[in-house]
Amino acid sequence: MNIAKKLALLTILSAIATTPSSGATTTAGDNIRVSFHEPSQFADIDYDGMNSDKGQQVVLDRIRSVFAESANSWLPPSYQLEVTVRDIDLAGEYEPHREASFPRVVKEIYTPRIKFDYRVLDANGTIVREGAETLRNDSFLSDPARAFRANQEVAYEVSQLIRDWSNKMKRDKLS
C-alpha cells in the first residue's frame, strides 16, 4: 500500500473513531440548525464501503459542518438558518459485484446530489427566505480541484454543491 493510500485510510479511521454518535438533528452553530429527515432512506451516504452507522455518521457530520461553514459567510449574525436534508447521494458507488474492500467507483453516471429544504429567519423569527433545493453536478468529474480534494475531504462533491448554493445565497443577498 503506497503512502497516499495509507494516509487516506488513517484519515478515514481517525474520523470514524472520533465521530460522536448523535441524533438526526443537531445544531451546526449558534444560528444554524441542520436536520436529516430519515437518513436511513438516503440514496447513498456509505462512506466506508460497509454501510456502517459510524461511516454514515462521518458523512452526516461533514454535511452539517459544511452548511455551517458556508452559511457563516452570508448569514447575518442575528438571523437563523434551518436546513432539513431530505436525501444525499454521494458521487460514485460501491458496485455490488465488487468486494467491500474495493474503493468507490466514480463514473459520470454516479453524480453527486443533495435535496434539502431551508428557511432563513430574521431576529424576530420572521421567515425572510425559504425554499426546497435539489442540487446535483452532472459534470463533477471535470472539476479541476476534484483530483486532489476528493481524496482529502469526506463527501467532497456534495460539500461542493452546498458551497456553490451558499455562494448563490451570498450573491442574492437577504432582503
Side-chain angles (χ1 to χ4, degrees):
M1 184 180 289
N2 69 27
I3 292 175
K5 286 183 179 179
K6 285 181 183 178
L7 287 174
L9 181 59
L10 286 173
T11 302
I12 291 168
L13 293 174
S14 173
I16 290 171
T18 59
T19 301
S21 297
S22 63
T25 304
T26 62
T27 302
D30 291 341
N31 58 340
I32 300 165
R33 182 179 166 103
V34 179
S35 63
F36 299 95
H37 180 72
E38 298 183 15
S40 63
Q41 302 300 311
F42 286 3
D44 176 18
I45 55 172
D46 185 6
Y47 178 63
D48 58 8
M50 311 279 244
N51 209 21
S52 72
D53 290 343
K54 286 184 178 181
Q56 292 174 3
Q57 193 62 47
V58 168
V59 171
L60 298 179
D61 289 346
R62 181 64 192 149
I63 298 303
R64 183 180 296 112
S65 68
V66 171
F67 269 111
E69 293 163 7
S70 300
N72 282 329
S73 71
W74 59 267
L75 189 68
S78 61
Y79 282 46
Q80 292 185 5
L81 172 65
E82 296 176 353
V83 176
T84 303
V85 179
R86 303 241 175 250
D87 195 16
I88 298 171
D89 191 353
L90 299 177
E93 293 288 331
Y94 290 102
E95 294 181 335
H97 64 280
R98 297 183 183 260
E99 294 178 26
S101 62
F102 277 79
R104 179 176 285 273
V105 176
V106 179
K107 299 178 184 176
E108 285 185 18
I109 60 172
Y110 303 135
T111 60
R113 181 178 42 82
I114 184 169
K115 291 182 182 182
F116 61 92
D117 301 327
Y118 71 94
R119 295 185 337 161
V120 178
L121 298 92
D122 67 13
N124 299 322
T126 304
I127 298 172
V128 294
R129 186 174 294 166
E130 65 183 332
E133 298 285 347
T134 299
L135 308 176
R136 67 182 299 144
N137 182 355
D138 293 329
S139 61
F140 73 101
L141 287 174
S142 300
D143 176 3
R146 186 194 177 282
F148 175 75
R149 299 285 306 270
N151 291 326
Q152 306 298 318
E153 180 182 343
V154 173
Y156 166 73
E157 289 86 358
V158 173
S159 298
Q160 191 59 47
L161 292 172
I162 297 166
R163 287 187 200 99
D164 292 345
W165 173 77
S166 280
N167 287 335
K168 179 183 177 296
M169 294 293 283
K170 189 179 194 175
R171 284 189 308 271
D172 291 349
K173 301 204 190 292
L174 296 172
S175 47

